[in-house]
Amino acid sequence: MTTGDTSAAAGTPLALAQPEDRHSRQEWEAATAAVLRKARKLTDEDPDSGVWDRLTRTTLDGIAITPLGTPDLLDGLQTSGRPTRAGAWDVRARIAGADEKLLNEHALVDLDGGVTSLWVRVDDDTDLPVVLDKVLLDLAPVVLEPTGDAVAAARALLDHASYVDLHPATNLGADAATASGDDLATIAGLAQDAGVLAVVVDGTAVHDQGASDVQELAVSLLNAVATLRILTARGFSAADAARLIEFRYAATDEQFPTIAKLRAARRLWARVLELSGVTGVDQRQHVVTSRPMMSKYDPYVNMLRTTVAAFAAGVGGADAVTVLPFDSPLGQPDAFSRRIARNVSHLLMDESHVHEVADPAGGAYAVEKLTDDIAVAAWELFGRIDVDGGGDINPLIEETVARREAEIAKRKRPITGLSEFPNLTENLPAREPVTGEQEVRRYGASFEALRDEPAANPVFLATLGPIAQHTARATFASNLLAAGGIAVEVAGPTSGVDDLVAAYGGQAVVCLAGTDAAYEEWGSAAAAALREAGARHVIIAGVSTNSTAEVFDAVDASCAMGVDALAFLHQTREALA
């Protein structure tokens, strides 16, 4: 697939560094290798060039993300194209719930606080005029999300707005994936007459079920192409049909993949329109911060996640951005969380001026390469599933979910506040439940399930030696156990087996934490004494070495970086029970 020659390397390079500040690839490899050897991630025998393999990360789609952008990455790119948004993006707030008066209050407060458009979930019994009372529909676009009769919802909005010309970015919200052909054609006709948009191609629907970036793009293409086919078969021109469509994508806290995904999405849609004989129609993107990436526990960390995601959305060229409130996983967001959500975009634009630069990531070697790789992979997948009305992508999504779960279980994809640095004593803010929302597979759901039902009994943390010697492994073990809803009772500074036994309170499970030297000196004796005192299951923190093999052989389990944390936690909870 190609949409023209890349322009990333066009023109004469600017000399932006003094001669003494210019360094070769080999110098970077040597400096980086020295750091990795100090961290024991490379050996003295490994060549300096091994840093590329050690630092290159692979996405769930199997796409390599280079640790350093270099000019050679632009060789052989197959796609091109840049985001077309100029200036500020549309700050869009989501309005959903059963209490129409409360929703109207939310809408008016959000609009008064800087929101520029509304995304409104509409159930069959929603009184839309109440929800939109006093909303200036000619100034603030409204995007519908009908959960029932989409045609009735569209007519309800048009009837309510009969006294005014709707903002042209208003969208009647027909779902490209679920609406019937007749409903699509009817809503498209209504939208065309009103001068607004008609259809939402919602990639977040599969993202919420665990789809990867490439899968989200491929499914969105599939649904968008199906919409074009339906509307053109009913008399719309391809260009007119394309103008009625808005795409919705998810933005995660993986900054560069999100930027590249949104840039790739525009290239993919441009290619579809090129093959359809359509010119001069740009893809309109509504980007939503990811639901699955958010955590129910330590929800305030979600502010950081959504800020990074919103930044990536803006840099990636999103026309409209919805930052979901940080307490969304807990229920109906409160006034504070809604305020924070809408202010994220304004901080990025009014304070950081992210919107002042067109395509700020454009030309960056690594981003251009990642954009191209994602676009090519998504186009290939789209071709595979666009067979006989659409191949079944669900098995591929389940494979992605399994890979992600495995990485999260081993904490290769850490979730702050949940799988890393959990706080067992936190009090979650209370929120009213929200009904009618699509089920979301949160990335941390397995850890959340453990936290939902904390272990009734603690683990005895048998700390060997003074605090300075045992604190590193004791902290690691405490955090790991807390991630599974398991509290610890700490022995504190000890000088020998007698101190440990004196501090032991009869817990069923104990975890030894100390230095390798302490393990070698008295670890085996400590494990034996604790078993004799009543411990049924003994864990040791760390990795076995030649000098500590004896004590590791004497325990029931060990924990260290890279362990399957979920399996370890389930095993420990069973031993506690």
Side-chain angles (χ1 to χ4, degrees):
M1 178 194 61
T2 180
T3 59
D5 297 329
T6 181
S7 60
T12 304
L14 294 174
L16 298 177
Q18 298 295 328
E20 62 270 20
D21 294 324
R22 296 179 185 142
H23 299 282
S24 68
R25 183 188 185 107
Q26 290 71 31
E27 287 178 291
W28 177 82
E29 289 176 352
T32 307
V35 174
L36 292 181
R37 290 189 180 103
K38 186 177 292 186
R40 299 181 181 179
K41 294 182 178 180
L42 278 183
T43 67
D44 291 338
E45 290 72 32
D46 291 325
D48 290 350
S49 59
V51 299
W52 295 97
D53 290 337
R54 189 68 185 82
L55 296 179
T56 294
R57 185 165 63 88
T58 303
T59 71
L60 292 169
D61 293 302
I63 295 172
I65 301 179
T66 178
L68 183 69
T70 53
D72 59 284
L73 295 176
L74 300 183
D75 297 339
L77 297 186
Q78 301 179 51
T79 67
S80 67
R82 294 187 179 280
T84 55
R85 190 203 74 240
W89 57 80
D90 174 7
V91 181
R92 184 168 297 173
R94 188 157 193 270
I95 306 295
D99 186 336
E100 286 99 342
K101 290 185 178 180
L102 178 62
L103 298 183
N104 176 250
E105 179 184 328
H106 287 169
L108 296 178
V109 170
D110 282 341
L111 290 167
D112 188 54
V115 160
T116 53
S117 69
L118 301 175
W119 169 21
V120 183
R121 194 187 78 196
V122 183
D123 303 326
D124 283 340
D125 57 352
T126 298
D127 190 341
L128 200 56
V130 173
V131 175
L132 299 178
D133 184 36
K134 298 180 182 179
V135 174
L136 302 180
L137 299 176
D138 55 336
L139 300 179
V142 171
V143 177
L144 298 182
E145 181 191 336
T147 61
D149 189 334
V151 174
R155 292 189 188 280
L157 176 59
L158 294 174
D159 289 344
H160 174 63
S162 59
Y163 63 93
V164 69
D165 291 332
L166 287 168
H167 190 288
T170 298
N171 195 321
L172 301 184
D175 188 336
T178 60
S180 68
D182 289 341
D183 283 356
L184 278 175
T186 299
I187 294 172
L190 293 171
Q192 199 168 51
D193 291 342
V196 299
L197 305 175
V199 181
V200 172
V201 176
D202 190 2
T204 68
V206 291
H207 171 85
D208 289 350
Q209 298 308 306
S212 66
D213 291 338
V214 166
Q215 291 161 355
E216 181 184 353
L217 291 179
V219 171
S220 69
L221 270 191
L222 183 73
N223 293 330
V225 168
T227 299
L228 287 181
R229 289 168 176 162
I230 289 171
L231 294 182
T232 53
R234 284 165 168 76
F236 292 84
S237 71
D240 285 344
R243 291 189 186 97
L244 296 173
I245 298 174
E246 181 177 49
F247 289 75
R248 182 177 296 144
Y249 295 113
T252 73
D253 54 0
E254 294 189 12
Q255 174 179 296
F256 289 111
T258 293
I259 293 170
K261 177 177 74 172
L262 299 179
R263 298 177 85 246
R266 294 183 182 278
R267 300 182 184 188
L268 292 165
W269 186 234
R271 179 57 173 161
V272 168
L273 296 184
E274 179 184 334
L275 294 173
S276 304
V278 176
T279 58
V281 179
D282 296 322
Q283 184 186 58
R284 180 169 179 79
Q285 290 183 353
H286 170 207
V287 180
V288 185
T289 57
S290 167
R291 289 182 178 92
M293 77 172 178
M294 301 176 83
S295 62
K296 178 172 72 173
Y297 288 96
D298 205 349
Y300 300 99
V301 180
N302 291 330
M303 294 188 200
L304 304 179
R305 298 183 179 107
T306 55
T307 298
V308 174
F311 172 84
V315 171
D319 299 288
V321 176
T322 296
V323 176
L324 295 178
F326 70 85
D327 55 355
S328 295
L330 298 172
Q332 184 68 257
D334 71 356
F336 172 72
S337 64
R338 296 186 69 87
R339 176 189 173 195
I340 294 296
R342 62 179 180 261
N343 282 349
V344 166
S345 284
H346 286 291
L347 286 169
L348 290 170
M349 291 188 286
D350 301 334
E351 299 290 340
S352 301
H353 307 291
V354 172
H355 67 296
E356 297 288 358
V357 180
D359 189 26
Y365 304 131
V367 174
E368 292 290 355
K369 173 62 173 173
L370 185 56
T371 299
D372 190 72
D373 286 344
I374 290 176
V376 170
W379 187 261
E380 187 275 333
L381 179 57
F382 163 63
R384 282 195 282 134
I385 62 176
D386 186 28
V387 178
D388 298 329
D392 186 6
I393 197 171
N394 289 320
L396 297 179
I397 293 176
E398 292 303 319
E399 291 176 9
T400 298
V401 170
R403 286 197 300 274
R404 184 187 291 111
E405 282 284 321
E407 292 181 6
I408 290 172
K410 293 183 178 180
R411 303 199 295 180
K412 292 181 178 179
R413 286 178 175 266
I415 303 175
T416 302
L418 192 60
S419 68
E420 300 281 354
F421 310 112
N423 178 11
L424 283 184
T425 63
E426 70 176 318
N427 293 315
L428 292 178
R431 296 292 182 267
E432 293 295 323
V434 177
T435 60
E437 294 284 25
Q438 175 182 298
E439 182 180 350
V440 174
R441 281 178 165 175
R442 283 204 293 275
Y443 298 152
S446 297
F447 283 96
E448 288 181 349
L450 295 176
R451 292 285 299 279
D452 288 344
E453 298 183 5
N457 301 308
V459 165
F460 177 65
L461 193 59
T463 46
L464 279 62
I467 292 176
Q469 292 183 14
H470 69 237
T471 188
R473 281 176 170 163
T475 300
F476 171 85
S478 297
N479 282 329
L480 175 57
L481 292 166
I486 304 170
V488 298
E489 294 180 349
V490 186
T494 58
S495 59
V497 174
D498 291 342
D499 284 351
L500 273 182
V501 174
Y504 175 63
Q507 296 88 346
V509 176
V510 301
C511 178
L512 302 180
T515 62
D516 284 353
Y519 290 161
E520 183 179 2
E521 181 182 353
W522 55 291
S524 296
L530 289 168
R531 285 191 192 278
E532 186 175 347
R536 298 196 304 268
H537 187 78
V538 180
I539 304 166
I540 188 169
V543 178
S544 179
T545 64
N546 290 335
S547 63
T548 61
E550 180 181 349
V551 64
F552 274 80
D553 290 340
V555 300
D556 302 298
S558 64
C559 60
M561 292 294 295
V563 68
D564 186 325
L566 282 175
F568 168 81
L569 291 170
H570 280 291
Q571 179 188 39
T572 304
R573 288 170 65 104
E574 289 173 6
L576 282 170

